[in-house]
């Protein structure tokens, strides 16, 4: 699993509340990613990071922000959660030995009521 | 990235070879074919990738047609644990880049006992 953990694994929250999801890796990988997966869809990229304090937007970044203050942690924040952000969120790292080989975390199931 | 087309679902008997097709008729000369799979409720898992030659590893074989417009992922002796959604992804192998993967809807492979 490339030493990737996500927390929390499950969360139920209410519309309008802030939510922060954490991705933690233990192997000092430079590249980290946040994806979301909705029923009947593949994964869609939200944000990614290419180093400490270096982040960029993905395909579906509206309503999300990220931070990476240290190599091992990549945080995804929903400033004011909406029901459309109910989804499963996956964090990933890129190992680099094989180009574009990404390792994914176990996922966080978020429900916004 | 080139667009890919995969069947929505497929069945295969346990112990038989599972052959999963993927069409990528607009693939560019510098784009690789990657395969990932996602077992229910888990994060995606890298399987194999190739440019134009056939590739084999401990998990699967990848056959790419000579014109590179289509490919087939082969699981030689499918087991029940191979039941998953299989994603075919085409993209440039920018090992130093940070952008993420684009997942379509994939093929839901069901291994029948």
């Amino acid at each position: 699993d490339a030493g990737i953990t996500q927390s929390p694994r499950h969360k139920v929250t209410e519309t309008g509340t802030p939510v922060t999801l954490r991705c933690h890796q233990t192997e000092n990988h430079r590249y980290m990613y946040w994806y979301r997966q909705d029923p009947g869809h593949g994964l869609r990229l939200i944000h990614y990071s290419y180093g400490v304090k270096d982040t960029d937007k993905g395909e579906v970044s509206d309503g999300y922000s990220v931070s990476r203050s240290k190599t091992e942690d990549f945080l995804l924040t929903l400033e004011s959660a909406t029901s459309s952000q109910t989804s499963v969120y996956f964090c990933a790292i890129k190992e680099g030995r094989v180009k574009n080989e990404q390792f994914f975390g176990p996922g966080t199931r978020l429900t916004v009521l | 990235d080139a667009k890919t087309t995969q069947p929505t679902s497929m069945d295969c008997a346990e112990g038989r070879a599972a052959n999963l097709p993927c069409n990528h008729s607009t693939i560019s000369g510098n784009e690789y074919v990657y395969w990932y799979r996602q077992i229910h409720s888990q994060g995606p898992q890298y399987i194999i990738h190739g440019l134009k030659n056939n590739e084999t590893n401990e998990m699967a074989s990848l056959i790419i047609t000579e014109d590179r417009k289509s490919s087939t992922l082969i699981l030689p002796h499918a087991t029940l644990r191979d039941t998953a959604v299989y994603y075919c992804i085409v993209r440039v192998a920018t090992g130093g880049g940070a952008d993420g993967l684009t997942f379509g809807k994939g093929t839901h492979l069901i291994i029948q006992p």
Side-chain angles (χ1 to χ4, degrees):
Chain A
D1 62 0
I4 305 169
T5 58
Q6 293 184 231
S7 59
R9 294 294 313 280
H10 302 271
K11 185 172 182 64
V12 179
T13 191
E14 294 187 350
T15 298
T17 60
V19 176
T20 295
L21 308 182
R22 179 185 185 227
C23 177
H24 179 78
Q25 54 127 338
T26 59
E27 299 183 2
N28 207 35
H29 295 290
R30 178 181 175 189
Y31 300 108
M32 299 184 74
Y33 306 81
W34 275 108
Y35 293 84
R36 64 176 286 174
Q37 185 172 34
D38 302 302
H41 292 82
L43 279 73
R44 292 181 291 173
L45 182 67
I46 305 172
H47 280 279
Y48 62 93
S49 170
Y50 46 97
V52 173
K53 298 187 178 179
D54 291 323
T55 65
D56 208 344
K57 297 178 179 180
E59 176 187 358
V60 290
S61 59
D62 287 349
Y64 301 94
S65 62
V66 290
S67 65
R68 193 165 177 204
S69 59
K70 46 187 177 178
T71 300
E72 57 266 36
D73 288 327
F74 191 31
L75 304 181
L76 177 71
T77 296
L78 292 65
E79 300 290 348
S80 178
T82 67
S83 59
S84 65
Q85 293 176 311
T86 292
S87 189
V88 180
Y89 292 85
F90 289 99
C91 172
I93 59 94
K94 184 161 69 175
E95 186 165 272
R97 284 189 302 225
V98 171
K99 292 180 172 66
N100 288 318
E101 178 184 10
Q102 294 188 13
F103 288 90
F104 288 80
T108 294
R109 183 174 296 275
L110 176 67
T111 301
V112 183
L113 301 176
Chain B
D1 299 336
K3 179 178 172 58
T4 62
T5 303
Q6 299 179 251
T8 301
S9 65
M10 293 180 63
D11 288 350
C12 179
E14 188 177 19
R16 299 281 192 171
N19 296 274
L20 292 91
C22 179
N23 287 319
H24 32 78
S25 59
T26 61
I27 191 170
S28 300
N30 61 346
E31 288 182 313
Y32 284 67
V33 179
Y34 293 82
W35 283 84
Y36 280 74
R37 74 179 182 182
Q38 186 174 23
I39 296 170
H40 182 62
S41 297
Q42 298 181 21
Q45 175 191 23
Y46 166 84
I47 302 173
I48 198 168
H49 78 288
L51 181 62
K52 55 183 179 180
N53 298 319
N54 297 339
E55 302 287 345
T56 296
N57 63 19
E58 65 278 6
M59 289 182 67
S61 295
L62 174 61
I63 308 299
I64 302 174
T65 59
E66 190 170 347
D67 63 8
R68 301 209 324 122
K69 293 184 177 181
S70 65
S71 60
T72 301
L73 178 74
I74 301 173
L75 307 179
H77 304 287
T79 71
L80 297 178
R81 289 177 295 179
D82 291 322
T83 292
V85 178
Y86 287 77
Y87 298 98
C88 171
I89 299 168
V90 171
R91 67 164 297 130
V92 175
T94 52
D99 48 332
L101 298 168
T102 300
F103 289 79
K105 295 184 179 180
T107 296
H108 187 193
L109 175 66
I110 299 171
I111 306 301
Q112 304 284 1

